[in-house]
Each structure stands twice: as C-alpha cells, then as structure tokens.
Amino acid sequence: IDKPFEIVDTIDFKFDVYIDDNYHINSICQHKDSLFLVLSFKEKAPSKILEISKKDYQPLSIIENIGQFNHDIIVTDEYIYSLSTKTGELVEYNRNDKTITKYNVCMDNDYWWLRGMKRINDSIYVFIGENWKTTIKIPMIVVKEFDMNSKKMLSTNLIALKASCYQII
C-alpha cells in the first residue's frame, strides 16, 4: 500500500510459483470508482482486501486479517463480505466503523469447503461443497442463505449433483 503500482509489459515467473507463494488475487469486485481485490497467501498469513482506484490503479486502502484462504467478495456502500474457506466463515467488514464480524457457515472443514457466494436482494447465498483434500466424494452442494439485514442464517438447502463442484460464480 505504501508503494505505487506500475503497469509492466512482462513478468518473469519462477518455474513453480507455489514454492515461494506470495499474496495472490483470489477474487475481484468493482464498486463505484474502486476495485476490491481479495489477496490470499496460503497458510503463511491471513488474507487481505486491497482497494484500488479504477482510474489509475493506485492503492486506496487495505483491510487486514479477514480470514484464511479467502475467496469471493461482495461490496456494498456499508459492508464488504468475503468467505474464509479455511475457517468456514462469512466475514463481514463494516466500512463505517472498521469492525470485522465473522459468521459461522461450515463447521467441519475436513469434509466441506466454501465454494462461492452470490448476493440476491438482501440475502447472500453461500455454496458449500466437498473439501478438495477429502477422499470421500460428496455429490451435493449445501446452500445457506444469510440475511444481510437481520445478520442471521435463514435457511439451508441441498442440491444434488452428479459430480463434485469446486467453484460457484
């Protein structure tokens, strides 16, 4: 955040970028004049959200410690939501008072993993599928509805699948 970004023509990648994994972008969202990037760093450090200007791509703000292995992002005027797949939580960042609240979505991460989320009206639907490390194949997705006004999980539904699902967009 202290250094301006620069646009480059080429990048020299190491043979295996995962050996020295650095923060990498897992999700991106546009809200008004900003782009919000979810930065994940495997298990080495907590995830972050970086806000950059759409005009010149310079950093505007950074939100630290939002979870582990975070994916997906939903941004409103008041809140930013992301999924901490390592802890099984929906993370809510209050943009006004700068507080973080975590809502438990998925208890047993040995078998289940947060796969994505979608906002429809005032609800966020969180999709939960099998953990990619498990040897047990679970041919279904669990869908949990989170009410953004009451801050409560409203319902849980199951969707049967013929195969595993690893990402919901």
Side-chain angles (χ1 to χ4, degrees), residues 37-48:
L37 312 174
V38 175
L39 306 177
S40 187
F41 198 2
K42 291 170 105 179
E43 292 186 18
K44 298 176 185 175
S47 295
K48 301 177 183 186

Side-chain angles (χ1 to χ4, degrees), residues 118-129:
K118 176 75 175 165
R119 178 182 179 190
I120 301 174
N121 299 320
D122 289 333
S123 289
I124 295 175
Y125 294 87
V126 179
F127 297 84
I128 307 158

Side-chain angles (χ1 to χ4, degrees), residues 74 76 79-83 88-93 101-106 114 116-128 142-157:
I74 293 172
T76 70
Y79 298 100
I80 299 173
Y81 295 91
S82 184
L83 294 174
E89 296 167 319
L90 173 66
V91 179
E92 175 187 79
Y93 175 77
T101 306
K102 297 178 180 178
Y103 302 94
N104 190 352
V105 176
C106 177
L114 303 182
M117 64 180 173
K118 176 75 175 165
R119 178 182 179 190
I120 301 174
N121 299 320
D122 289 333
S123 289
I124 295 175
Y125 294 87
V126 179
F127 297 84
I128 307 158
V142 177
V143 183
K144 291 199 173 184
E145 179 185 1
F146 176 80
D147 184 276
M148 296 168 67
N149 296 317
S150 69
K151 309 294 183 193
K152 296 182 190 261
M153 291 291 171
L154 296 181
S155 64
T156 300
N157 297 286

